[in-house]
Amino acid sequence: MVDSVDRVLDQWQAERPDLDPSPMGVVGRIQRASRLLERGLSEHFAARGLQLWEFDILATLLRSGAPYRLTAGDLASTSMITSGAITNRIDRLVARSLVTRETDPANRRSVLISLTDQGRDLVDQAMSDHVANEARLIASLSPSEQEHVAKLLRTMLIALGDVPPGAP
């Protein structure tokens, strides 16, 4: 069995036999898998009237627990996007009545973003379908293979500096 990355590796091996292109195989496959998975997620959410980034923000608020509220800064760090981008995204979610924005009474320099009932209903409904879609996307791997891939990717992410927000 071969994939499109195998062709690239073969080309490099022919062109530069002095190099070992095997790292390109790992990185290239991770990048391609990421793009294909993102397409599968985006198509799934589009069919439900959501964009991937909208689901990401709404789900982040939902998993934060009641009262389903985070500062804009916490949302930005969780999503790994700039404060300017989070402001634009929050504006769009406010316009759809999925979240509210208010100044934090305990810290006037901070903005609190909260799920509305409509936003919570939408993300609640989307969650079950989302998990089923992700299971479908990785169904070519057995449960033990999925666990092994998750473990390997965790090791790699930590080595690349990926740590949860607020972790030392």
Side-chain angles (χ1 to χ4, degrees):
M1 214 189 313
V2 298
D3 62 16
S4 61
V5 175
D6 287 318
R7 181 172 180 264
V8 171
L9 296 175
D10 289 344
Q11 290 171 326
W12 279 119
Q13 191 64 50
E15 186 63 28
R16 291 289 308 269
D18 58 310
L19 294 178
D20 173 13
S22 60
M24 294 171 75
V26 174
V27 173
R29 285 185 177 95
I30 290 171
Q31 288 177 318
R32 288 187 60 76
S34 175
R35 286 192 294 273
L36 292 168
L37 289 168
E38 187 167 333
R39 184 171 60 197
L41 294 172
S42 294
E43 290 170 355
H44 174 77
F45 289 125
R48 286 148 185 81
L50 282 170
Q51 293 184 40
L52 181 55
W53 67 264
E54 290 174 315
F55 176 80
D56 184 40
I57 290 174
L58 297 175
T60 298
L61 289 166
L62 183 64
R63 75 173 183 260
S64 73
Y68 312 111
R69 176 182 302 141
L70 292 170
T71 66
D74 287 341
L75 273 175
S77 67
T78 301
S79 303
M80 293 178 45
I81 59 174
T82 66
S83 59
I86 197 71
T87 299
N88 179 276
R89 291 177 179 192
I90 291 167
D91 288 346
R92 292 166 67 186
L93 292 170
V94 168
R96 289 189 61 190
S97 300
L98 299 175
V99 302
T100 60
R101 172 195 292 120
E102 64 183 297
T103 302
D104 185 346
N107 178 358
R108 308 277 305 152
R109 295 177 295 151
S110 190
V111 175
L112 295 173
I113 310 305
S114 302
L115 271 179
T116 63
D117 289 342
Q118 180 181 342
R120 185 173 176 204
D121 289 345
L122 180 62
V123 73
D124 259 340
Q125 292 168 8
M127 272 308 298
S128 296
D129 287 346
H130 170 59
V131 171
N133 183 49
E134 286 191 336
R136 179 189 64 80
L137 291 170
I138 62 171
S140 62
L141 301 174
S142 71
S144 65
E145 289 171 327
Q146 291 175 28
E147 187 177 322
H148 187 67
V149 168
K151 182 179 178 183
L152 292 172
L153 289 171
R154 180 183 305 109
T155 299
M156 189 169 105
L157 286 171
I158 291 168
L160 291 171
D162 185 46
V163 295

